[in-house]
Amino acid sequence: MTLRPWTGSGTDQGPVLGTRLADLDARISDAARSAGRDPSELTRIVVTKFHPAALIEDLASLGVRDVGESRQQEITAKRGELVDLDGVRWHFIGQIQTKKARAVRAAADVVHSVDRDRLADALHAADPGGAPLDVFLQVNLTDDPGRGGVAPTEVERLAEHVAAACASLRIRGVMAVAPLTDAPAAAFERLSAASDAVRRVVPDATWISAGMSGDFAEAIAAGATHLRIGTAITGPRPLHG
Ligand SMILES: *Cc1c(COP(=O)(O)O)cnc(C)c1O
């Protein structure tokens, strides 16, 4: 794939990016305080998918420490371009074909989208003796089995499998995308129940990855610890194909 240069770097887009980031962080803090939570408990991941690698450099220079990507070829290419960029944690948030597991493990520091035994096995087999990989178990909150994620009724069993068979994966919590058809608050309640189920297996798997540009306040109210925010910070994504 080709990565086009980020035309905003060093131009009038730079201040715009910083302003959007500061505005969003203020809204996150407000939402946390309204929910009686401490904003410092929250990790804000900036989703940079479809944008050029130079955007990540600009974000890093603004102090961003967590970025999110959703396609294997793209995260691999961007990490290759940014080998000298220190201090950024790369989160993989997209669906993963099992045959891409090795490449995802090589490129990601955290994987949010573990949703089946075979994928967990492949991520583990990619580096069984390596540094532990932090993972979330992705839960499907829709009725469409084609969407990413394990059914809520199956997440405890998946946690048991990963805990028993994938020693190089460290289950940190659960992840979901709210369905478009549902009120986000109701969906995030179901994710909270899935989190309880996973913690019956792995008591310290307390992370909850939920909340995007349009629903982060509801996610924070429902206990999210990791927010995945794209367009509210980056503006519209470039066209992709
Ligand atoms: C793209 C994406 C996001 C960010 O969405 P925005 O609406 O741009 O904030 C979050 N999570 C996942 C899984 C995504 O694919």
Side-chain angles (χ1 to χ4, degrees):
M1 64 179 289
T2 51
L3 298 174
R4 287 179 298 108
W6 167 248
T7 49
S9 188
T11 71
D12 53 338
Q13 283 286 325
V16 171
L17 192 61
T19 302
R20 288 206 201 99
L21 192 62
D23 287 351
L24 196 271
D25 285 347
R27 290 168 61 204
I28 289 173
S29 293
D30 286 347
R33 279 189 287 269
S34 306
R37 299 187 57 199
D38 181 347
S40 70
E41 301 166 3
L42 303 174
T43 300
R44 178 257 294 124
I45 299 160
V46 182
V47 177
T48 49
K49 64 187 183 196
F50 311 142
H51 288 286
L55 174 63
I56 297 175
E57 289 181 293
D58 287 357
L59 288 165
S61 71
L62 291 166
V64 168
R65 289 290 160 261
D66 293 273
V67 299
E69 288 287 336
S70 64
R71 296 190 299 185
Q72 178 269 314
Q73 294 92 325
E74 192 173 344
I75 192 174
T76 300
K78 288 179 183 175
R79 279 213 93 153
E81 255 191 83
L82 301 176
V83 277
D84 296 329
L85 187 66
D86 292 326
V88 170
R89 221 170 7 220
W90 294 72
H91 297 254
F92 194 83
I93 63 173
Q95 284 185 251
I96 307 174
Q97 292 174 271
T98 304
K99 66 181 180 194
K100 302 286 181 65
R102 181 169 296 275
V104 169
R105 178 138 194 196
D109 300 304
V110 186
V111 173
H112 291 233
S113 43
V114 173
D115 62 359
R116 57 197 189 276
D117 292 3
R118 259 164 40 85
L119 173 59
D121 293 343
L123 285 167
H124 170 58
D127 195 6
L133 177 70
D134 283 337
V135 300
F136 292 82
L137 304 184
Q138 184 177 354
V139 181
N140 184 354
L141 300 177
T142 76
D143 298 327
D144 175 0
R147 304 290 294 272
V150 65
T153 51
E154 287 292 310
V155 70
E156 187 167 344
R157 199 210 50 74
L158 176 60
E160 282 167 356
H161 173 81
V162 176
C166 306
S168 71
L169 306 188
R170 182 170 183 204
I171 302 175
R172 303 308 303 255
V174 292
M175 176 276 213
V177 177
L180 295 170
T181 50
D182 228 340
F188 292 140
E189 286 301 318
R190 302 205 293 284
L191 183 60
S192 175
S195 169
D196 294 344
V198 169
R199 281 184 289 110
R200 284 195 284 274
V201 182
V202 185
D204 67 352
T206 54
W207 294 357
I208 298 180
S209 169
M212 313 188 351
S213 293
D215 60 17
F216 64 83
E218 289 90 342
I220 290 169
T225 61
H226 290 64
L227 314 171
R228 309 178 309 268
I229 314 278
T231 48
I233 295 168
T234 65
R237 283 182 273 275
L239 293 177
H240 56 92

